[in-house]
Every structure is written in C-alpha cells, then in structure tokens.
Amino acid sequence: MGRLTYNNDAKSSYDIPDEILLPLRIVVATKLRRSEAFMLSVGLEGTGGYRSLWIAPSVPLMIQVYAARVDKIDREIFDKMLDEAHSSNGLDLRGFTGLVHSSGRRNGAPGGNGLVHA
C-alpha cells in the first residue's frame, strides 16, 4: 500500500494498493513530461463517492511507495490507465482496484473502490 498526496494537503491523501500506484506513477510522469494535464478520480472509502483531482505540472503531487521491492508492473493495467488518462473523462482509479488481489494476482472482476482516504 502506498500513498498519493495532492497539492501538499494532508486532507487530500489517499492510500492506494501498490499494484495500482506503481503504474499510476508512470502514467502521471508520462503525462506531465508532455505537459498534459488530466483529471484523476479516486474513490472515497465508506461513502460510495469519489473525488476528482486535476493533475497538472503546476499542482504539487507526491507519490510514496512503501514497498521495499517493486515487482514487474502489469502492462495491461498501465495501458488501460494511459488510455483513460488521454480520454475526456480522465482516469478513474475505481475501475482498477478490482483487477488485483492484495496478493498482487489478477482478479479480473471489477470490485469495490479499494482506496482508503487517509
């Protein structure tokens, strides 16, 4: 489990499973390197709601990965995230959390939001 913090605001920190956070980190770097802003939506634990964040080079974003070892990133998840980030609706992480178990194995079935608002 890692953490994404938006705009240096502790109230905008989200715990995200490593299997989602690691490809997200590369998607964010890819988009920002190209100076392409995009919308990122994260689920709010226990509410059924979500928060949308505008990801742009001018907004501070911190990604903390706590895993001591980084396994290979799932290319299918990365490609789908990048496609969504390029879309007009942006990237919605709620659709990705059901793709992996906590063990890191693919589930294949969409599930709950799996994100914990810290």
Side-chain angles (χ1 to χ4, degrees), residues 27-79:
V27 168
V28 168
T30 300
K31 295 287 284 179
L32 295 182
R33 185 178 19 241
R34 297 175 183 166
S35 296
E36 298 173 352
F38 67 102
M39 189 71 71
L40 174 68
S41 296
V42 294
L44 298 174
E45 184 68 28
T47 68
Y50 65 95
R51 182 171 288 159
S52 292
L53 311 170
W54 184 245
I55 307 300
S58 61
V59 180
L61 183 70
M62 181 171 56
I63 296 175
Q64 295 173 288
V65 179
Y66 298 114
R69 180 173 163 239
V70 177
D71 290 332
K72 186 176 180 180
I73 293 170
D74 188 315
R75 180 65 187 219
E76 184 180 340
I77 291 175
F78 169 75
D79 288 341

Side-chain angles (χ1 to χ4, degrees), residues 1-3 16-23 64-67 69:
M1 189 71 71
R3 176 167 287 181
I16 301 174
D18 291 337
E19 297 84 3
I20 304 302
L21 189 61
L22 293 171
Q64 295 173 288
V65 179
Y66 298 114
R69 180 173 163 239

